[in-house]
Amino acid sequence: MNIKGHLLKILLLFVLAGSVANADIRVIPIYKINGNSVYYRTENGLKKLQNADAKTFEILGYHVAKDKNSVYYWDEKLNKIDPKTFEVVEGYYITMFKDKNGIYTFGKNYDKLKIINFKENGIDIDFNDFKVISSEDPTIYKNKNDIYFQKGGKILQITNVDAKTFEKINGRSYLDNKYYRDKNNVYYFSEDKMLKLENADRNSVNELSENILKDKNYVYFENQQIKGLDVNSFKVIYENRISEPENLIKDKNGVYYIDENKKTLIKFRNDEIDIESFGIANEMLDDYFKDKNNVYYLQGYKLHRLDDLDIETYQNISMTRYKKDKNNLYFKWKKVKGVNPDDIEIIENNFIKIKNTLYKISNFEGKEAEIEPLSVDTNTFEEIENNYYRDKNNVYFYKDGNLQKLKDANVKNFKMLKESSDFGKDQSTIYYKGYKLEQVDKNSFEILDEAYDGSIIKDKNGIYILTEKSNKIKINKISENQNNIDFNSFIEITNNPYIFKDKNAVYTLNTDDDKTVTVFSFEKNDYKLNKLNKLNNINPKKFDMMELNYFKDDKNIFYFSDKEKMMKKIKNADIESFEIMNDDYAKDKNGEYYRGEKIRENRGIK
């Protein structure tokens, strides 16, 4: 399935999700029956669903259907599913369904349909006693007297709970909450574990948000008691909202923020807050709050009082960091001193234009932000891309609030090396984040990898790591283990982990001494390119990435273990029949594999 089709699926699923939360949102139907034909929706309109029987075609969900012969997921026919006994069990995001042979669920990668049969995970299904308790993060099932959760393609049992009385506290399986209970205890699900809430009263628990719960005695954040709160007057400010922060709370004594890492309260100064009236200032603006006297902005663990802001007329200016009310201009949340919002023109995100002068924001740390004029030609000033600008005279780079002129850069010839890149060039020089790379050969220069915190490049003379520290660009030429590297054929295979090859060998980029370990960080200073010499007989001409974590050449299959930080050969894997089931599981004609290790003989799973 192509990328556009994948994106369409995700988009339509979001529309479906919105319809659950808001009945006024229109749901786009996936299937349409017209005469003797059935059609399904694509990014280019309706397309005929081949061999579908229109007379018996039945739409079971927004993207699941069946006829007398087959079951369909979007445009794909589900093999070995019995249409006569097929039934949808749960249909929100991850569709649960069953037939006479088993109960199934889809994986999360909608570009590749992965069907998992519970029986293949060793679970004996009781069709009369199967229930989806939660279909969202995680997916949790009840079968007979056992509770299971799904992690990727694997279904694991949850022990030490009473299955007969186990339930999600709010009872709605499609909500992304984490609290559960049985006849004995209350639980919070975290990192594959069901954690018990000590001393929680199961009869009086009330889930207030995804990670906050209270009973008649205590307030809990995740599974920890938050002490010092008045339970009777306690309230989550963002209760029943999707937006963050859900951990802004109050009681009769104060307004607080829960530190997620320490599970402790941070209390705001209450001498200027009217606690009783404190709440959300505007449903359309996250992080803005008000009481009967003032408006506040939440930044980190601090509430900033905005004295002059008129919340009724306060609004975003297009898709920028600027806002305005009837009287003032604001940058982010801070008032800009002495500027009439009706007089300005926003130039991208960093600059404003007033009459014939261009300004930047300055003194943001003060009580009010200010504007500072820039010495540019306003009429020809424009953004090139990614913080690079130009006017008729110069090329500029905007960084940390400053517009820096690129000395000697040719205005007419300057261009970006690729879309959304930090690299630009003119006829003689390569630039990186506005920094001139004078030691790099322009004619043989090539970007191997570009990341937020650093980049990897090459030219005919070597391979370089570019990092930024203390607002300065640092260039590290790799000198370790570079003998005999063919720079002309040297390319990157993947950056997760960092693996490269040339015509002679396959390499990892390391900041560790172990030559098979692929641990790399732009924060380190000692970079090494090491051959994967412990993996014997790799053929670099045929070596390539199959999918995430899986690689192959003409003879062998390799798996990168993220846990062990090691690339290893999958012993005796058959290349011709090897099939990747998901990130963890694979199979071939000889066996089934989990994270690169054979776990059993092939059972004929389809």
Side-chain angles (χ1 to χ4, degrees), residues 1 5-6 8-13 30-31 40-41 49 57 62-65 72-77 106 110 113:
M1 186 176 295
H6 175 50
L8 176 68
K9 286 190 177 185
I10 298 300
L11 173 62
L12 293 178
L13 286 171
I30 305 304
Y31 300 105
Y40 65 95
R41 192 172 300 278
L49 185 61
F57 196 84
Y62 292 99
H63 47 279
V64 178
Y72 304 90
Y73 174 73
W74 299 80
D75 58 323
E76 299 183 48
K77 187 182 294 186
F106 291 107
Y110 292 99
L113 190 60

Side-chain angles (χ1 to χ4, degrees), residues 272-275 277-279 289-296:
E272 60 180 27
I273 299 175
D274 181 75
I275 299 169
S277 63
F278 184 86
F289 304 88
K290 69 177 180 179
D291 59 20
K292 65 181 183 180
N293 302 312
N294 299 296
V295 177
Y296 306 88

Side-chain angles (χ1 to χ4, degrees), residues 60-84:
L60 301 173
Y62 292 99
H63 47 279
V64 178
K66 71 175 183 177
D67 61 17
K68 66 178 182 179
N69 302 312
S70 303
V71 177
Y72 304 90
Y73 174 73
W74 299 80
D75 58 323
E76 299 183 48
K77 187 182 294 186
L78 306 185
N79 296 321
K80 298 192 175 182
I81 303 295
D82 180 62
K84 293 181 181 180

Side-chain angles (χ1 to χ4, degrees), residues 227-480:
K227 298 180 179 180
L229 291 168
D230 179 74
V231 176
N232 294 326
S233 61
F234 173 80
K235 183 178 181 180
V236 177
I237 305 298
Y238 268 93
E239 187 173 356
N240 298 324
R241 279 175 57 86
I242 296 174
S243 303
E244 298 290 344
E246 65 168 0
N247 45 344
L248 185 68
I249 60 176
K250 72 175 183 178
D251 64 10
K252 67 179 183 179
N253 301 310
V255 178
Y256 315 86
Y257 198 92
I258 300 176
D259 186 319
E260 296 183 5
N261 296 318
K262 298 180 180 179
K263 311 293 190 295
T264 56
L265 284 179
I266 297 174
K267 187 175 182 179
F268 297 114
R269 286 181 55 192
N270 291 332
D271 54 351
E272 60 180 27
I273 299 175
D274 181 75
I275 299 169
E276 184 176 352
S277 63
F278 184 86
I280 297 168
N282 187 319
E283 292 287 342
M284 301 303 293
L285 296 169
D286 291 340
D287 301 324
Y288 286 86
F289 304 88
K290 69 177 180 179
D291 59 20
K292 65 181 183 180
N293 302 312
N294 299 296
V295 177
Y296 306 88
Y297 178 78
L298 178 66
Q299 183 190 43
Y301 296 141
K302 186 176 181 180
L303 277 172
H304 299 273
R305 192 178 73 194
L306 309 178
D307 293 327
D308 299 324
L309 188 145
D310 181 72
I311 194 63
E312 300 302 323
T313 60
Y314 192 68
Q315 60 184 290
N316 291 309
I317 300 178
S318 188
M319 301 294 289
T320 71
R321 290 178 287 182
Y322 294 88
K323 296 178 176 66
K324 68 178 181 178
D325 62 15
K326 65 181 182 180
N327 300 312
N328 298 297
L329 175 72
Y330 300 83
F331 179 68
K332 297 181 180 178
W333 51 270
K334 189 165 287 189
K335 176 183 172 182
V336 181
K337 183 178 179 180
V339 176
N340 185 331
D342 296 328
D343 292 340
I344 69 160
E345 178 186 348
I346 306 297
I347 307 297
E348 300 302 328
N349 244 325
N350 299 316
F351 312 105
I352 62 174
K353 182 179 178 181
I354 302 176
K355 295 182 180 179
N356 226 10
T357 304
L358 195 70
Y359 297 86
K360 70 172 186 176
I361 298 295
S362 65
N363 193 33
F364 188 76
E365 301 303 319
K367 184 177 181 181
E368 295 180 340
E370 298 177 359
I371 57 174
E372 180 180 324
L374 297 171
S375 298
V376 300
D377 184 76
T378 307
N379 293 326
T380 59
F381 186 82
E382 64 179 356
E383 183 183 30
I384 302 172
E385 192 179 349
N386 216 24
N387 290 326
Y388 286 93
Y389 298 84
R390 67 178 158 213
D391 61 17
K392 67 178 183 179
N393 301 311
N394 298 292
V395 179
Y396 308 90
F397 186 78
Y398 182 79
K399 181 177 179 181
D400 299 328
N402 296 310
L403 191 66
Q404 306 168 357
K405 184 166 66 175
L406 303 189
K407 187 178 180 181
D408 301 326
N410 188 295
V411 176
K412 293 182 179 180
N413 295 326
F414 190 90
K415 64 180 181 179
M416 305 306 297
L417 283 175
K418 61 180 182 178
E419 187 177 354
S420 301
S421 175
D422 288 319
F423 290 91
K425 70 173 184 177
D426 61 13
Q427 78 278 10
S428 60
T429 308
I430 303 292
Y431 295 86
Y432 176 66
K433 295 184 177 181
Y435 181 86
K436 186 184 292 187
L437 302 179
E438 295 179 307
Q439 61 271 63
V440 174
D441 179 71
K442 173 183 174 296
N443 295 324
S444 60
F445 170 83
E446 186 177 333
I447 301 170
L448 294 171
D449 186 80
E450 187 172 359
Y452 174 77
D453 51 348
S455 294
I456 304 170
I457 62 174
K458 73 168 186 176
D459 65 9
K460 66 180 182 180
N461 301 311
I463 299 162
Y464 310 84
I465 309 294
L466 307 182
T467 57
E468 185 176 9
K469 295 181 180 180
S470 302
N471 296 322
K472 293 183 179 180
I473 301 299
K474 185 177 181 180
I475 302 177
N476 297 281
K477 184 176 180 181
I478 299 178
S479 57
E480 187 79 18

Side-chain angles (χ1 to χ4, degrees), residues 206-231:
N206 181 19
E207 183 186 25
L208 301 179
S209 71
E210 181 182 346
N211 296 309
I212 297 178
L213 174 139
K214 78 170 184 176
D215 62 12
K216 64 181 181 180
N217 301 311
Y218 304 104
V219 175
Y220 296 85
F221 180 77
E222 296 180 354
N223 67 313
Q224 299 293 317
Q225 282 185 18
I226 302 298
K227 298 180 179 180
L229 291 168
D230 179 74
V231 176

